[in-house]
Amino acid sequence: MKRDTICVQGGYQPKNGEPRQVPIIQSTTFKYDTSEDMGKLFDLEASGYFYTRLQNPTNDYVAAKICQLEGGTAAMLTSSGQAANFFSVFNIANSGDHVVASAEIYGGTYNLFAVTMKKMGIDFTFVSADATREELDKAFRPNTKAVFGETLANPALSVLDIERFAEAAHAHGVPLIVDNTFATPVNCRPFEWGADIVTHSTTKYLDGHGAAVGGCIVDSGKFDWKKYADKFPGLCTPDDSYHGITYVEKFGLEGAFITKATAQLMRDFGSIQSPQNAFLLNLGLESLHVRMKKHCENGQKVAEFLSKHPKVSWVRYCGLEGDKYYALAQKYLPNGSCGVVSFGVKGGRKAAETFMKNLKISAIATHVADARTCCLHPASATHRQMSDEELVAAGITPDLVRFSCGLEDAEDLIEDIDNALKAVK
């Protein structure tokens, strides 16, 4: 099936007399006739379900659709994008290990890596998204287990050179993990450029309606864990907590990573997406290919308007010809990037706050990538505890406004922005 058809019909193919829509299996448990039947599930000798803390049919149908869209071999849904990013790294990196990550990533992910996972004994080295191959090579250590980046960084909107990062990762025998939340598989499929694992905050464009929090991990099935068995014992040696199974031997390169993440991490952490949320996510996926075109169209028009406005000091949007990442965007995102535009209001923090107060159509919200336009001034909201100096060090200037274009008429959004900027003195 082509991409647009997968959005609508992928993942779930009802048989004769079965529900046309993905069914919501809102059940914690599943009944079996004998203990032997259930025992085969616990031994991973048979496929099926026994407890929704690990797996659920509704979730698997929707994960299969995202897997098809990304061109992967296996996928799983998680309770949030944060859980997806955590699982994707923790599945292969343990205490005493090291990970290389782009510095221009979502603040929540940065904190997860730099603070929380550091307390778990995993060390991270952060490099610029613009790092040269030589600079990347210097960041690796003998105990490095993965490289992590975002296709489009939130809110910096830098474009990751996926091929460069993938080549560096593979040269050092580790996989590249790419968070593809902003671009979505409609506009970029990182596996085609060398990435090995893809994550999503499905809360954003994949859902697209601000209805359900969730995340997803997709495996390309291409990284050769066996070639670097000494680096990845969790996949290549027997798992004592699961009857001595060796995941790569039992499930092959195509299924080992996701099976281990399910059998170990989902079992122990229980960060499962609810079946109801998976159902809502699927409704969003059915229109993803249509919505992304409109989001990108609105983002481009708003960015072009802002780039010419006298009260705007700078604009970041890779669709603008003068943007720093325009050339990379033409390579990785030729059909559009996303609907999010970052810009600075002349006059700094107070000017940005005045702008925000005078918006009418655009809602002030911590959310982003929604059917309804959302706007955020990080310095007075998500990053309000930081001084101006600390903001700059984190790549968030005090004047930065993150504007997420929804599906409204672009002229209405531009008029709303223009009127709010007129209030800035």
Side-chain angles (χ1 to χ4, degrees):
M1 292 188 290
K2 299 289 192 300
R3 180 202 66 194
D4 293 5
T5 307
I6 294 172
C7 283
V8 180
Q9 295 201 25
Y12 172 65
Q13 299 295 319
K15 297 175 183 177
N16 188 47
E18 291 185 340
R20 186 67 187 87
Q21 178 57 277
V22 170
I24 305 172
I25 310 300
Q26 194 67 43
S27 179
T28 60
T29 43
F30 302 82
K31 181 259 183 187
Y32 288 89
D33 292 334
T34 68
S35 295
E36 289 76 14
D37 289 338
M38 182 171 284
K40 291 177 182 177
L41 300 177
F42 277 91
D43 289 342
L44 301 181
E45 294 292 341
S47 61
Y49 306 90
F50 51 84
Y51 198 48
T52 287
R53 191 184 76 219
L54 283 88
Q55 282 182 291
N56 179 280
T58 305
N59 293 27
D60 283 355
Y61 291 139
V62 182
K65 175 179 286 191
I66 300 173
C67 188
Q68 282 182 269
L69 286 170
E70 287 286 7
T73 59
M76 65 189 295
L77 296 188
T78 62
S79 57
S80 67
Q82 285 288 84
N85 285 338
F86 171 64
F87 277 17
S88 70
V89 174
F90 197 61
N91 203 35
I92 51 178
N94 303 137
S95 180
D97 289 335
H98 172 256
V99 175
V100 176
S102 169
E104 289 91 331
I105 54 177
Y106 168 57
T109 306
Y110 186 95
N111 190 75
L112 169 68
F113 291 168
V115 180
T116 302
M117 293 187 75
K118 186 174 183 179
K119 293 177 181 177
M120 301 171 74
I122 302 173
D123 198 15
F124 287 78
T125 295
F126 295 94
V127 298
S128 169
D130 305 328
T132 64
R133 175 59 191 274
E134 291 73 23
E135 289 170 333
L136 283 171
D137 286 336
K138 289 179 181 178
F140 285 85
R141 303 175 187 173
N143 60 338
T144 301
K145 295 300 177 69
V147 178
F148 185 96
E150 291 180 0
T151 310
L152 277 164
N154 173 17
L157 296 181
S158 55
V159 179
L160 188 74
D161 192 336
I162 301 172
E163 278 193 317
R164 181 191 300 157
F165 273 69
E167 288 169 0
H170 297 160
H172 292 271
V174 301
L176 171 62
I177 304 170
V178 174
D179 184 330
N180 199 32
T181 295
F182 268 17
T184 82
V186 168
N187 286 336
C188 182
R189 301 214 305 177
F191 294 155
E192 295 175 355
W193 300 101
D196 302 289
I197 297 156
V198 160
T199 65
H200 285 277
S201 170
T202 63
T203 317
K204 310 304 189 298
Y205 285 121
L206 299 193
D207 167 21
H209 299 84
V213 173
C216 185
I217 308 172
V218 186
D219 182 17
S220 69
K222 295 179 180 178
F223 189 81
D224 192 349
W225 307 105
K226 292 190 290 185
K227 184 178 178 181
Y228 307 101
D230 58 326
K231 280 182 175 288
F232 305 104
L235 287 162
C236 301
T237 59
D239 178 5
D240 293 336
S241 75
Y242 231 109
H243 317 292
I245 283 175
T246 301
Y247 292 100
V248 168
E249 298 298 331
K250 181 77 174 178
F251 302 101
L253 299 181
E254 297 82 3
F257 185 87
I258 294 297
T259 303
K260 178 180 181 294
T262 301
Q264 283 187 353
L265 304 187
M266 196 63 82
R267 174 196 65 191
D268 294 343
F269 289 98
S271 300
I272 194 79
Q273 188 169 146
S274 77
Q276 179 68 55
N277 278 14
F279 174 84
L280 293 172
L281 167 58
N282 186 62
L283 292 182
L285 287 168
E286 290 179 356
S287 64
L288 178 65
H289 56 300
V290 180
R291 290 186 289 105
M292 286 308 294
K293 291 178 182 177
K294 181 65 173 177
H295 282 298
C296 292
E297 177 187 312
N298 282 356
Q300 185 70 30
K301 290 180 179 178
V302 165
E304 289 174 357
F305 169 78
L306 289 168
S307 67
K308 300 171 185 175
H309 202 286
K311 292 186 179 180
V312 173
S313 53
W314 56 268
V315 181
R316 290 179 197 152
Y317 190 74
C318 62
L320 293 175
E321 287 193 23
D323 188 83
K324 177 181 179 180
Y325 295 99
Y326 180 77
L328 275 181
Q330 293 304 298
K331 176 180 178 178
Y332 295 115
L333 304 155
N335 299 315
S337 56
C338 67
V340 182
V341 182
S342 290
F343 64 97
V345 182
K346 285 185 179 178
R349 183 190 293 262
K350 289 186 177 180
E353 290 174 348
T354 299
F355 168 78
M356 297 289 289
K357 290 176 183 177
N358 285 276
L359 290 169
K360 303 299 181 185
I361 294 176
S362 311
I364 297 176
T366 55
H367 193 40
V368 69
D370 197 332
R372 289 149 296 219
T373 293
C374 309
C375 194
L376 184 72
H377 177 228
S380 60
T382 53
H383 296 69
R384 68 178 294 112
Q385 306 303 325
M386 293 182 174
S387 66
D388 286 359
E389 292 74 20
E390 289 172 330
L391 286 169
V392 172
I396 310 291
T397 54
D399 63 344
L400 185 150
V401 172
R402 185 185 70 184
F403 197 87
S404 175
C405 300
L407 302 178
E408 303 90 347
D409 190 293
E411 290 185 11
D412 286 337
L413 298 181
I414 289 170
E415 183 179 356
D416 191 32
I417 292 170
D418 192 33
N419 288 334
L421 286 171
K422 286 178 182 176
V424 178
K425 306 299 183 183

